[in-house]
Amino acid sequence: MNHQGDQRLSLEKLQAWEKLGYGMFIHFGMSTFDGAELSDGQAPPTLYAPDRLSVRQWLETASRAGMKYAVLTAKHVSGFCLWPSRYTDYHVGNSGCPADVVEIFLNECGRLGLMPGFYYCSWDNHHRFGSVTPSDAVPVEHPHRKAYLTGEYLDFEYRQVAELLTDYSGWGEIWIDIPSILPRHFRHRLYDLAGRLAPEAVVMMNNSFGDGEHYPYELAFPADIMAVERGLPRSAGQIKWRDIENRRYYLPAEVSDTIGMEWFFTENDPPRSDAELLGMYLVTRSRGANLLLNVPPDRTGVIRTEYADALLRLRQNLGRLGLPV
């Protein structure tokens, strides 16, 4: 028996990622400004115009909260890019605030000792290239399975992910959302690209909801870690060893959930109660998964005090239990 498993990354590398334990998900972009999580991608780039943008404040908030890593939404459903991509004009360079958020994010993570990751969404309502996105299929049942991506779009995604991996360095996590609409051969291309250009990074192909008992590998493989989105791991504990197509993989899990109720900033979305945040952390970690807690900056470009204070109280409450983070 291969006690190291058949996965690309060593058992030691994956367990080192697990020891990070707690990170900040940062949803920020065009959806912050057009008010639609699943943006139609039609807003002009100038609508994105934070006037107090402080990526440093985001990551200092994460560090003070005891978080060990952070994942930034480099491109979400809107298709708007938080870096000046050479493959589109729909990016920060043509916006109301031209700062390269990706570059600043990496620099600040390095300064504070946080492991950086980027999120890239395969569902893109701006860069269609003749594709049918899940937005076109709603409210049809299983809209992701009705989506169709053209070869032109797939080439675009490949070039943009390669751009993020070559023009920027130091990534520890690569988060591909909505991989279920990607052909499996293309998921392998992306995974192999990451393995070549960021060989130490873990790759997440978001398998979405559930408690982690079932892993839909046919929709989210290959990957190094798996998702438990908007929920908690199974009560018996996370299943870390998976048999997939006659091979055995060590596949640790990451819970992704929000400090309030929304992924992107929305007015009147207060943080969850101290008891609920404490419970989310304790249950997630005790059941063997990492917690990636989303904390969205507002339209000015900062994390609001109510969120920062809730994170600090969570750290204090953990300390009272003898569980410093």
Side-chain angles (χ1 to χ4, degrees):
M1 177 182 288
N2 180 4
H3 295 288
Q4 281 288 322
D6 294 307
Q7 69 280 343
R8 174 180 64 92
L9 293 171
S10 69
L11 194 58
E12 291 75 18
K13 175 63 181 177
L14 291 168
Q15 290 173 340
W17 174 84
E18 290 183 277
K19 287 178 182 176
L20 295 174
Y22 183 33
M24 180 182 282
F25 217 172
I26 301 171
H27 276 64
F28 185 71
M30 189 57 73
S31 292
T32 309
F33 295 86
D34 70 11
E37 178 189 333
L38 305 179
S39 171
D40 65 8
Q42 301 308 301
T46 51
L47 182 64
Y48 169 91
D51 58 5
R52 295 173 53 209
L53 179 69
S54 181
V55 181
R56 170 169 289 191
Q57 184 255 359
W58 307 350
L59 295 169
E60 287 181 344
T61 299
S63 181
R64 285 195 299 271
M67 293 165 162
K68 302 301 189 293
Y69 67 109
V71 176
L72 173 70
T73 55
K75 189 199 79 162
H76 203 266
V77 172
S78 72
F80 183 78
C81 302
L82 291 181
W83 79 101
S85 175
R86 66 177 66 92
Y87 301 111
T88 180
D89 60 4
Y90 202 52
H91 59 64
V92 288
N94 296 315
S95 76
C97 178
D100 184 339
V101 178
V102 169
E103 180 178 49
I104 301 168
F105 173 81
L106 277 165
N107 290 340
E108 290 300 320
C109 281
R111 184 178 69 86
L112 293 164
L114 299 171
M115 186 200 78
F118 73 82
Y119 163 113
Y120 186 99
C121 192
S122 299
W123 176 351
D124 186 329
N125 282 338
H126 184 84
H127 306 97
R128 297 293 189 111
F129 298 102
S131 301
V132 173
T133 76
S135 293
D136 302 314
V138 172
V140 175
E141 187 177 3
H142 304 304
H144 293 198
R145 298 179 185 178
K146 303 293 184 181
Y148 172 78
L149 299 178
T150 62
E152 290 85 353
Y153 173 78
L154 296 178
D155 287 344
F156 170 77
E157 176 164 340
Y158 187 87
R159 289 195 300 267
Q160 282 209 312
V161 172
E163 183 178 44
L164 286 166
L165 293 172
T166 53
D167 289 6
Y168 306 91
S169 61
W171 299 113
E173 184 165 329
I174 300 162
W175 228 95
I176 304 297
D177 203 6
I178 322 296
S180 59
I181 64 175
L182 299 172
R184 180 161 177 179
H185 72 83
F186 184 77
R187 294 200 301 270
H188 278 274
R189 282 190 69 204
L190 279 186
Y191 185 79
D192 292 345
L193 177 71
R196 290 197 309 274
L197 299 180
E200 297 300 308
V202 298
V203 176
M204 162 72 83
M205 297 272 183
N206 183 18
N207 55 277
S208 197
F209 305 103
D211 65 2
E213 180 163 4
H214 173 62
Y215 175 63
Y217 71 87
E218 67 279 5
L219 301 176
F221 195 75
D224 302 313
I225 58 177
M226 65 168 291
V228 177
E229 182 180 341
R230 290 282 199 181
L232 295 168
R234 60 197 288 271
S235 59
Q238 183 59 32
I239 301 169
K240 297 186 179 183
W241 287 101
R242 302 276 174 169
D243 293 314
I244 301 172
E245 297 178 335
N246 299 315
R247 304 186 78 177
R248 193 155 177 79
Y249 298 88
Y250 189 78
L251 199 69
E254 181 177 71
V255 167
S256 56
D257 211 332
T258 59
I259 192 169
M261 299 307 296
E262 304 296 335
W263 290 109
F264 286 93
F265 176 80
T266 303
E267 294 286 358
N268 302 314
D269 184 27
R272 299 171 194 252
S273 70
D274 289 359
E276 188 172 0
L277 290 174
L278 179 62
M280 183 190 299
Y281 181 95
L282 292 175
V283 172
T284 297
R285 299 294 292 130
S286 67
R287 294 181 182 177
N290 282 21
L291 175 60
L292 186 64
L293 183 63
N294 185 65
V295 186
D298 68 13
R299 293 182 187 91
T300 71
V302 300
I303 289 174
R304 291 204 173 173
T305 301
E306 61 179 338
Y307 288 163
D309 288 349
L311 291 174
L312 290 177
R313 291 195 302 272
L314 173 56
R315 185 172 191 177
Q316 292 164 357
N317 287 334
L318 289 167
R320 293 187 184 102
L321 296 174
L323 299 169
V325 295

